[in-house]
Amino acid sequence: MAVGFSGSNGGIIENQKRIPASDLQYETFIRKYPYPIEISYFINNSCNLGCKHCYVAYEEDKYSLSVEQWKIAFDELISMGALTFGNVGKEPVLAWNETRELMLYFKEKKQSIPKLRFGFVTNATMLDRSKIEELERIQPDYIDISLDGTKDTHDYIRGSGNYDRTMKNLKLMSEYEVIEKVFISFTANKFNIATIGRLVDSLYNMGVKKMLISPYITRDKFDSLYLPDEGIIKWVEELLAGNVIDFTKYQGLNIYIKNDYSTTLNLMERLVNRGIIDKNNLLVDDYGVIFNKYTFYGNDLYFNYLPWDDFFVRAIRFSHDGYVSNCFDMFFSEYPERAIGNVREKSIREILQYDIPLLKAAI
């Protein structure tokens, strides 16, 4: 069972400030963010692909929440301070009517809450001109499109012909301003990590300048895609040395290398020990994302740093049928038993306050 975490949430915003190492305390963080501000949700539990690194072991695909049920939960979260809403799957385009209606809901909310942001994750194989034109009118804050390398590597992971389908729709999107909202979501593994430089070149020529790179996580160390931490670190060192991407060829690239406390804590600690993540020079944006920033010839490279588990405090996830959990719980087929509640049975405020005494005390 493996995972390719995705979700740029719109990346790192330009409003950034330094965070002292002394402030990297959970108690300080929870006082600043007493409710989750980052919400990811599954509009459905269906997908048209069968990717080798899909991490969703929960197989139930019925009983999806209605749009009205989603809105009730989201209204409450927004009143509590939530700012980022990501439709992460399984494949939102398979539920396009619901996906569109919720984007329109967030667009309306954004008129009175300018900091609110919303987007979705897709493999993009089922987009078409009419949907892209709808996206052009709606203007979500981000669209994460999954690409796992150049043609051979991507199709090995996601199925024959899917690279061409995705690239065709990216080319179509390049005719519209909405191309500026696209993040390429890349799950770095042993099989595809060497292709990133070539992929960046192809994408840049289409006007795509933003990429999210997530280390591939697996519970099986014999997994053919598994890349040990040391392999990731060596690749990062080569990237920073200018040997992976020739930054002199580009302008305005935005590359976000994403870490997660529950799955890549050891990797983060090793990046700190190597001096790649410098805890004495961390920045934080308005959404509570902590990171180091590198700039090469007008191109920005970010490494986020998460020294504690931000589940419930800053980030939560909803399954399509209303269960509240973190991302890692979806590794397991017994996912409902691992969740802390279901919004069909309790309001999200009741679920969070009842199950998180520290959170309740901070309110």
Side-chain angles (χ1 to χ4, degrees), residues 16 141 166 187:
Q16 307 163 1
D141 294 282
T166 297
T187 303

Side-chain angles (χ1 to χ4, degrees), residues 48 68 80 94 96 98 110 147 180 185 199 225 261 306 308 325 350:
N48 61 314
E68 290 308 311
M80 293 159 63
L94 281 173
W96 184 249
E98 293 83 358
K110 195 177 176 74
L147 266 177
E180 298 175 5
S185 182
L199 183 61
L225 297 181
Y261 181 90
L306 191 62
W308 48 71
S325 72
E350 289 175 312

Side-chain angles (χ1 to χ4, degrees), residues 139-302:
Q139 287 291 309
D141 294 282
Y142 65 93
I143 303 167
D144 289 349
I145 293 181
S146 303
L147 266 177
D148 286 317
T150 49
K151 183 172 181 175
D152 289 346
T153 55
H154 179 85
D155 284 358
Y156 171 76
I157 294 166
R158 293 183 177 265
S160 178
N162 286 311
Y163 177 85
D164 287 341
R165 294 183 186 99
T166 297
M167 293 298 280
K168 175 184 176 182
N169 288 326
L170 274 170
K171 186 175 181 180
L172 187 58
M173 292 179 80
S174 71
E175 300 176 17
Y176 300 86
E177 291 181 5
V178 76
I179 193 68
E180 298 175 5
K181 308 294 186 179
V182 170
F183 267 83
I184 294 302
S185 182
F186 183 100
T187 303
N189 58 62
K190 183 178 180 179
F191 194 73
N192 69 3
I193 196 166
T195 70
I196 290 178
R198 283 174 287 153
L199 183 61
V200 166
D201 204 45
S202 298
L203 294 166
Y204 188 84
N205 292 332
M206 291 185 181
V208 179
K209 298 183 179 181
K210 294 182 284 190
M211 176 178 281
L212 169 74
I213 300 175
S214 303
Y216 177 71
I217 309 300
T218 180
R219 297 169 64 199
D220 177 8
K221 302 307 181 185
F222 298 101
D223 186 330
S224 63
L225 297 181
Y226 172 60
L227 180 64
D229 288 351
E230 188 59 29
I232 291 284
I233 292 169
K234 287 182 178 179
W235 177 84
V236 166
E237 290 174 337
E238 290 294 305
L239 175 67
L240 294 175
N243 298 327
V244 174
I245 298 171
D246 182 358
F247 290 108
T248 64
K249 295 167 54 179
Y250 309 113
Q251 187 66 222
L253 288 181
N254 185 307
I255 298 176
Y256 178 21
I257 299 178
K258 191 171 184 180
N259 294 295
D260 178 78
Y261 181 90
S262 62
T263 56
T264 60
L265 177 59
N266 290 337
L267 175 59
M268 276 194 296
E269 290 176 343
R270 295 182 70 177
L271 290 171
V272 169
N273 292 337
R274 295 288 185 94
I276 294 167
I277 294 178
D278 181 358
K279 292 200 294 185
N280 294 311
N281 286 290
L282 291 167
L283 300 169
V284 61
D285 73 2
D286 287 349
Y287 297 91
V289 180
I290 301 169
F291 58 93
N292 275 154
K293 177 181 177 181
Y294 294 79
T295 300
F296 301 97
Y297 302 99
N299 305 287
D300 293 328
L301 180 62
Y302 299 93

